[in-house]
Amino acid sequence: MRSMKKILLSLVLAGGACFANAQTFVQVLYPSNISGGFAHTFADWALTPDMTDPANRVIAPVIIARDNSAGDSLLCNPTTQNLTGKIALVFRGECEFGTKAVNAWNAGAVGVVIVGNTAGELISMSSGTNAQGDVIDIPATFIKKEDGEIVYDALMAGDSVSMLLGNKNAYFVNDLGSTPGYTANVPAQAPVQLAESTTDFPIVYAAQIYNYGSANQSNVKVIVDLKKNGSVIHTDTSNVIALLNAGDSTDQFTFTNYDGALGVGDYTIEYAIVSDSVDDTPTDNKFIYPFRINNDKLFSYAKYNADSSFTFNSGNYGPAERNGDFRSCIMFKHPKGNQVGIKGLWFNASIGDDLTIDGEEILFQVFKWNDAFVYGTDSPSFNLLADVTAGSYIYEEDKQNEFVYAHMDDYVLLESNARYLVCAKIYNEKVYIGYDNETKYNYYSSIIGQYVSPIADGSTWYASGFVGGPVPSLTLHFFTTEEVGLANADKLVKATLYPNPAKDVVNVLVDNYEGAAKLTVTDLAGKTVIANDVTIASNGNVSFNTAGLNAGMYIVKMQLANGNEVKASVVVE
């Protein structure tokens, strides 16, 4: 029996880049009909081994772990099953990951594979509310629902299944490969206004290949196909590396990049690694990076999800232990930046502890990022962030795990070739922001010389974001030059606030409007202090009480039912 209950977890902050020879694998060795590697995350708890070290590699038979309770293979209860020397297959739901792992460890398991309960979801795991998972000294890994069900179905059919967990260096003889992000891609979604051709939206091929096997490999090369709507529009084969010794890697491949028209469409960049040998594990010899050029003026590093017809979100994340507010950001820079501005953005968030998210506020900030640094060498200070525009979203119903839209307060055109940070800012430590944990930008970041998904935990910034390189599912909605005047004229409505300064009551007189509105009052730090549904009278007047507010300046905003907005400031004495 498998539960579908969703539990939120957090990620670990990244201190630097990972390289291909330090990558980890979760791989079925046999039976041959399901052999291959799975996308995964490993738990990084107090005593879990470093799975990038080949000495900690685990190879063992897999068994479905059961506790004979109503939840059965959820393993939320201690089990009498003998798991000695086995990798325990466990399903997500009903209890924390640390609880499942401890129950498997106590029964003798040498590893734990936890299977997701939502298709496509790939998350990192915390050790639990009381850090109960910190006692285990075996690997615990998370894999997708669809991959776990392959293993589960084979076991239920009576097949013996063996898996490898960890670093596979020198386990196979002929084993060339790479990992996601170490073959170059491009932003997964871009508006056609910024991607009519490779002049505006360069497509640069690059690859780092590693010889994981025990044998030297000869005549190694990489073949790349660029496809539009399923048809190849460009193909290229790299130079040949005559010899790649066992345990070595190389990025010395040269390509002729595509130079030409792009336009609206669904694209893929597809890499294939070939050599004189037949590879023992070909699943990491091919990499496919989808990207979409759209008419909808949308930009995102998270990929487009054809199943939902919108941005992909594999889970909602935040720092393991927060030191104040948390900011999740994406970088934007473009030679035609002066042709667009940010009208708003789509995002996805959740809240932990089985709470509802209504009433929670998430702030959005757009900064011009003026730090001078060399990517990969310098650590940006994030001291030169200039405000451009901002917005906020207050949940009025429990729409967690759904994409919702936040407007920017002001529509401001960007600048060409200027670097911007667009950040979601969260105050509640139980609120998590959506991420795509499958699309990686390691090589792309080095090509453009930029950090694409920085985060901030309190006042501490991490330019590389989270370990493993997931990217926020933030999806920017642009407006163009011809829209900027009309947008601001249509959206902002004139209003007068009086008295100003105020003591107990503020009156708002709105021009030419009668009816419902949503009132929010925020302090200068961006914290909401009042959030009410109000009704504007036929004379355009509405009032609100300020008696409980501290002295200072406040920003007053009203979202009118016709889609327009009021924005003004008031001083409270």
Side-chain angles (χ1 to χ4, degrees):
M1 178 180 179
R2 285 168 272 173
S3 169
M4 299 296 285
K5 182 177 178 182
K6 183 174 179 66
I7 301 171
L8 292 168
L9 291 188
S10 52
L11 291 178
V12 180
L13 305 176
C18 298
F19 296 94
N21 61 347
Q23 293 301 310
T24 59
F25 295 84
V26 171
Q27 191 154 348
V28 174
L29 302 179
Y30 64 79
S32 59
N33 63 315
I34 64 167
S35 63
F38 297 143
H40 63 282
T41 60
F42 273 103
D44 184 19
W45 302 341
L47 298 179
T48 51
D50 176 8
M51 299 311 292
T52 65
D53 184 346
N56 294 324
R57 178 170 60 214
V58 171
I59 298 171
V62 183
I63 187 171
I64 300 170
R66 302 186 184 279
D67 61 16
N68 298 317
S69 70
D72 201 19
S73 57
L74 299 175
L75 209 65
C76 290
N77 299 293
T79 180
T80 58
Q81 187 180 18
N82 185 0
L83 303 180
T84 302
K86 303 292 199 301
I87 295 172
L89 187 74
V90 183
F91 286 86
R92 185 184 187 187
E94 300 298 340
C95 62
E96 295 179 327
F97 294 118
T99 300
K100 299 174 186 288
V102 168
N103 287 335
W105 176 65
N106 282 333
V110 295
V112 185
V113 175
I114 298 178
V115 180
N117 58 13
T118 302
E121 183 177 64
L122 185 67
I123 67 170
S124 291
M125 302 183 292
S126 76
S127 61
T129 304
N130 298 314
Q132 57 264 46
D134 284 354
V135 301
I136 73 164
D137 57 2
I138 60 173
T141 186
F142 185 95
I143 65 174
K144 294 181 188 177
K145 177 178 184 285
E146 51 268 39
D147 294 334
E149 289 181 342
I150 292 172
V151 179
Y152 177 85
D153 291 343
L155 290 167
M156 291 299 290
D159 293 336
S160 296
V161 178
S162 177
M163 293 183 74
L164 178 153
L165 311 181
N167 191 321
K168 63 175 181 172
N169 284 6
Y171 179 76
F172 299 99
V173 177
N174 298 311
D175 189 12
L176 288 171
S178 188
T179 56
Y182 286 93
T183 40
N185 55 352
V186 295
Q189 298 183 65
V192 68
Q193 291 84 354
L194 303 181
E196 293 176 347
S197 73
T198 53
T199 302
D200 306 325
F201 194 75
I203 297 174
V204 178
Y205 307 139
Q208 180 171 329
I209 308 304
Y210 190 78
N211 185 355
Y212 299 103
S214 60
N216 299 338
Q217 299 297 315
S218 57
N219 296 323
V220 179
K221 60 185 177 182
V222 181
I223 301 170
V224 186
D225 287 332
L226 175 64
K227 296 180 180 179
K228 180 179 181 180
N229 299 326
S231 299
V232 176
I233 61 172
H234 184 249
T235 188
D236 190 55
T237 300
S238 73
N239 59 303
V240 175
I241 303 297
L243 181 66
L244 185 58
N245 290 324
D248 283 353
S249 65
T250 183
D251 60 0
Q252 298 302 302
F253 296 101
T254 56
F255 299 90
T256 301
N257 297 314
Y258 174 65
D259 183 15
L262 291 171
V264 173
D266 290 303
Y267 295 78
T268 56
I269 304 172
E270 303 183 10
Y271 291 88
I273 305 165
V274 296
S275 71
D276 287 345
S277 301
V278 176
D279 204 277
D280 294 329
T281 59
T283 53
D284 58 355
N285 292 168
K286 293 185 178 181
F287 295 88
I288 299 176
Y289 298 102
F291 66 98
R292 164 172 278 216
I293 298 176
N294 60 75
N295 255 328
D296 303 316
K297 302 172 187 171
L298 300 178
F299 176 92
S300 182
Y301 291 106
K303 66 184 178 182
Y304 178 82
N305 183 2
D307 291 337
S308 65
S309 299
F310 202 65
T311 301
F312 179 71
N313 186 70
S314 58
N316 302 305
Y317 305 125
E321 295 181 4
R322 300 196 192 181
N323 298 304
D325 54 64
F326 164 58
R327 279 186 272 196
S328 172
C329 308
I330 60 173
M331 186 279 304
F332 176 78
K333 181 180 179 181
H334 196 277
K336 285 187 174 179
N338 64 345
Q339 301 298 306
V340 297
I342 301 172
K343 186 175 185 178
L345 56 81
W346 294 90
F347 71 99
N348 184 309
S350 294
I351 191 166
D353 292 350
D354 293 323
L355 301 173
T356 61
I357 204 166
D358 7 354
E360 293 293 335
E361 180 183 29
I362 297 180
L363 303 180
F364 297 94
Q365 301 164 296
V366 180
F367 302 106
K368 187 178 179 184
W369 187 8
N370 294 315
D371 283 5
F373 59 85
V374 177
Y375 174 84
T377 301
D378 302 330
S379 296
S381 66
F382 295 90
N383 289 332
L384 298 176
L385 298 178
D387 292 328
V388 176
T389 186
S392 66
Y393 185 90
I394 299 175
Y395 281 90
E396 296 171 3
E397 53 186 306
D398 193 21
K399 287 190 173 182
Q400 56 182 313
N401 302 313
E402 298 180 31
F403 276 95
V404 293
Y405 188 81
H407 289 275
M408 293 294 111
D409 293 337
D410 298 298
Y411 295 163
V412 179
L413 284 171
L414 305 180
E415 299 175 25
S416 295
N417 293 312
R419 181 176 55 229
Y420 294 90
L421 270 186
V422 183
C423 301
K425 187 175 184 180
I426 300 168
Y427 288 97
N428 187 338
E429 64 179 10
K430 297 184 185 299
V431 174
Y432 298 77
I433 199 76
Y435 270 75
D436 173 357
N437 201 19
E438 295 185 9
T439 308
K440 314 288 186 177
Y441 289 93
N442 307 71
Y443 226 130
Y444 175 77
S445 294
S446 65
I447 289 170
I448 65 171
Q450 304 293 340
Y451 298 95
V452 301
S453 55
I455 60 176
D457 183 20
S459 61
T460 303
W461 284 89
Y462 298 84
S464 297
F466 287 116
V467 165
V471 291
S473 296
L474 301 178
T475 303
L476 307 185
H477 182 201
F478 289 125
F479 64 88
T480 56
T481 48
E482 59 269 23
E483 296 175 285
V484 61
L486 291 173
N488 278 321
D490 289 344
K491 185 178 178 184
L492 294 178
V493 174
K494 183 179 179 182
T496 303
L497 274 64
Y498 65 94
N500 193 2
K503 288 187 176 180
D504 298 321
V505 174
V506 173
N507 297 289
V508 185
L509 184 61
V510 182
D511 279 6
N512 301 314
Y513 182 79
E514 174 187 358
K518 296 184 182 300
L519 168 75
T520 59
V521 180
T522 58
D523 62 22
L524 294 185
K527 187 68 175 175
T528 297
V529 294
I530 296 174
N532 293 326
D533 290 331
V534 298
T535 300
I536 298 172
S538 58
N539 63 0
N541 193 71
V542 67
S543 61
F544 61 92
N545 195 311
T546 60
L549 301 183
N550 295 327
M553 179 175 286
Y554 293 85
I555 305 300
V556 178
K557 290 188 287 187
M558 282 196 293
Q559 184 72 45
L560 308 184
N562 62 9
N564 293 336
E565 286 186 336
V566 169
K567 183 179 179 183
S569 61
V570 64
V571 174
V572 175
E573 295 180 330

